[in-house]
Amino acid sequence: MSRGKLIAIVVVAGLAIFVGWRLFGQGAADEGRRGGEGEDSPIPVTAVAARTEDVPLYLTALGTVQALNTVTISAQVSGQLQAVHFAEGQEVKKGDLIAEIDPRSYQAALDQALAKKKQDEAQLAASRSTLKRYEDLIDKNFVSAQDLENQRQTVRQQEALIAGDIAAIENARTQLSFTKITAPIDGLAGIRQVDVGNLLQANGSSIVTLTQTRPLNVIFNLPQQDMAKVREADATPLRVTALSRNDSTPIAEGELKVIDNSIDTSTATFKLKAEFPNADHKLWPGEFVNVRLAVRTVEDGIVVPATGVQQGPDGEYAWVVLGDSTVKMQTVVTAGTVDGGGVLVASGLAAGDRVVTEGQFRLKSGIKVAAMAPGEVAAPTPVPEGERKRGRSGRG
């Protein structure tokens, strides 16, 4: 390489280093100065004062809507399905006719049983007449004692036959009644599973499923630590509210019916069942809903917005704004949620304490803050004259 080329390379490298320093090094220094100037500036946060009110204490959970009763309608006797008397989705009442099976063979069996009874009754009448005659002749020694006893046994046997005939008739009537299938409960009919004309087998495939939806149940689980709160509640029965999964608006009101008799050791939860009248069919079996169980009312409870309480490695805490506009981390204990997105604080805060609800991620104990009310916008920070001049010269 020639001496001239080497000198040219050195000059180009020097120019590159100088330009890079001007672009990045000086800019970083300016940013450092600006950062240093802003370290003492208060951090804008949103703060809300803790308030006191009478608070209904709720426990919340995810619940599953469950029909009060579900019955699968199947044929109890075999035969051809002759008629269906319901519409899919129809609400039926207990005792309503659902379907009919061809009854002819079962009617014939009943008629046969009735005829057999009449035949046996005729034989019994003849045997009783003979017995009466034997009893009249025994004193005249026209009939032996053995013949009299044999006739008595014949009467007893025929009386037993009549009893058997009566049982057979009742069985035949029962089988015949099974050809008319009626609803055992009030409920909604589901999708029909078989069409008219098909041959049904006793206890075979189902015809339709009836689901009782008025009233119905909601099943939900709570952590085992809430067991005492539920059992020691000051209201009976406890009020339960079903809430929408989308926007947590109330759907229906019900009451707690059952607390399960054991705690699930695999999940450390216990099961509860609430009953809802569901007169307007707002709840549907199989649906997931949020459940809110009211266990008691706390008088003059301390309430703060839910966003003001944070979860840390050592438990729950809140940032409290002090009188000198600094903040401190305050450990709190919450006792449940309240309407309007708030939480009830059992300990750690007093009425009037200003709790930071927005902007917590930049805070540390003792730092200065500019506390604003919800919805208030912080004023823009003025830029020093020297910074504005440097900004204009840099753009030029």
Side-chain angles (χ1 to χ4, degrees):
M1 182 181 297
S2 67
R3 182 186 181 102
K5 289 184 179 180
L6 181 59
I7 292 173
I9 293 173
V10 172
V11 171
V12 171
L15 287 173
I17 293 172
F18 176 75
V19 172
W21 178 83
R22 289 290 294 175
L23 291 176
F24 300 102
Q26 185 64 30
D30 292 343
E31 289 296 328
R33 284 197 299 272
R34 286 195 292 271
E37 291 168 357
E39 285 180 356
D40 295 332
S41 300
I43 297 176
V45 296
T46 300
V48 175
R51 66 184 188 275
T52 59
E53 59 181 74
D54 292 343
V55 179
L57 185 59
Y58 299 116
L59 299 175
T60 58
L62 176 62
T64 305
V65 181
Q66 186 180 82
L68 190 68
N69 292 295
T70 300
V71 178
T72 300
I73 305 298
S74 300
Q76 292 182 269
V77 292
S78 299
Q80 187 182 47
L81 183 61
Q82 196 172 59
V84 172
H85 297 282
F86 69 93
E88 295 173 326
Q90 173 189 348
E91 187 169 5
V92 299
K93 299 295 183 181
K94 182 178 180 179
D96 286 354
L97 185 62
I98 296 292
E100 289 183 84
I101 295 174
D102 186 359
R104 289 174 297 179
S105 61
Y106 299 98
Q107 181 64 56
L110 175 60
D111 294 342
Q112 185 177 11
L114 289 170
K116 177 68 165 53
K117 179 173 177 287
K118 288 181 179 180
Q119 180 183 9
D120 291 340
E121 285 175 339
Q123 292 179 352
L124 176 62
S127 297
R128 282 175 174 172
S129 176
T130 301
L131 176 62
K132 180 67 172 60
R133 188 167 60 252
Y134 280 8
E135 289 174 341
D136 292 340
L137 295 176
I138 190 67
D139 294 334
K140 300 177 183 179
N141 293 322
F142 289 163
V143 176
S144 66
Q146 182 63 43
D147 290 340
L148 177 62
E149 184 61 26
N150 288 341
Q151 190 62 32
R152 286 173 176 167
Q153 293 297 334
T154 299
V155 169
R156 293 189 187 102
Q157 290 175 359
Q158 291 176 345
E159 288 174 344
L161 286 175
I162 298 298
D165 292 338
I166 293 173
I169 291 170
E170 291 303 316
N171 180 65
R173 282 202 176 107
T174 301
Q175 296 296 309
L176 179 62
S177 70
F178 287 158
T179 62
K180 293 184 181 294
I181 303 172
T182 58
I185 61 170
D186 296 343
L188 292 176
I191 297 175
R192 189 176 71 247
Q193 302 297 316
V194 64
D195 297 324
V196 173
N198 281 278
L199 182 64
L200 302 182
Q201 298 296 327
N203 302 316
S205 59
S206 66
I207 299 173
V208 69
T209 298
L210 297 184
T211 303
Q212 187 172 0
T213 59
R214 295 193 298 183
L216 47 63
N217 298 322
V218 173
I219 306 295
F220 59 100
N221 287 27
L222 287 175
Q224 65 178 11
Q225 57 266 29
D226 290 335
M227 173 69 81
K229 297 177 184 177
V230 177
R231 297 186 62 188
E232 296 169 5
D234 55 7
T236 303
L238 296 183
R239 183 169 56 89
V240 182
T241 304
L243 308 172
S244 168
R245 291 278 291 157
N246 296 327
D247 52 11
S248 294
T249 57
I251 300 175
E253 295 286 337
E255 60 184 37
L256 185 66
K257 284 296 185 181
V258 179
I259 302 174
D260 203 6
N261 57 5
S262 63
I263 294 175
D264 188 339
T265 56
S266 62
T267 60
T269 61
F270 63 101
K271 187 177 295 184
L272 304 96
K273 180 168 72 173
E275 185 175 299
F276 291 77
N278 200 37
D280 50 8
H281 277 137
K282 286 188 176 181
L283 298 177
W284 207 253
E287 179 183 8
F288 290 102
V289 293
N290 291 327
V291 177
R292 189 174 64 188
L293 172 65
V295 291
R296 64 188 179 95
T297 299
V298 178
E299 297 181 355
D300 295 328
I302 304 298
V303 178
V304 298
T307 55
V309 178
Q310 306 291 309
Q311 184 69 43
D314 298 324
E316 296 174 311
Y317 68 92
W319 290 104
V320 179
V321 181
L322 304 179
D324 59 356
S325 294
T326 61
V327 292
K328 73 168 182 176
M329 181 186 290
Q330 178 64 48
T331 300
V332 298
V333 177
T334 61
T337 60
V338 300
D339 289 332
V343 293
L344 175 66
V345 179
S347 64
L349 294 176
D353 285 347
R354 291 189 299 166
V355 176
V356 177
T357 58
E358 293 182 24
Q360 299 99 323
F361 68 96
R362 298 175 60 189
L363 301 182
K364 59 183 178 181
S365 293
I367 198 169
K368 287 273 188 179
V369 296
M372 299 174 293
E376 185 179 352
V377 179
T381 304
V383 180
E385 183 65 25
E387 291 295 327
R388 290 199 295 269
K389 289 180 179 179
R390 280 199 298 270
R392 286 196 297 268
S393 63
R395 287 193 298 272

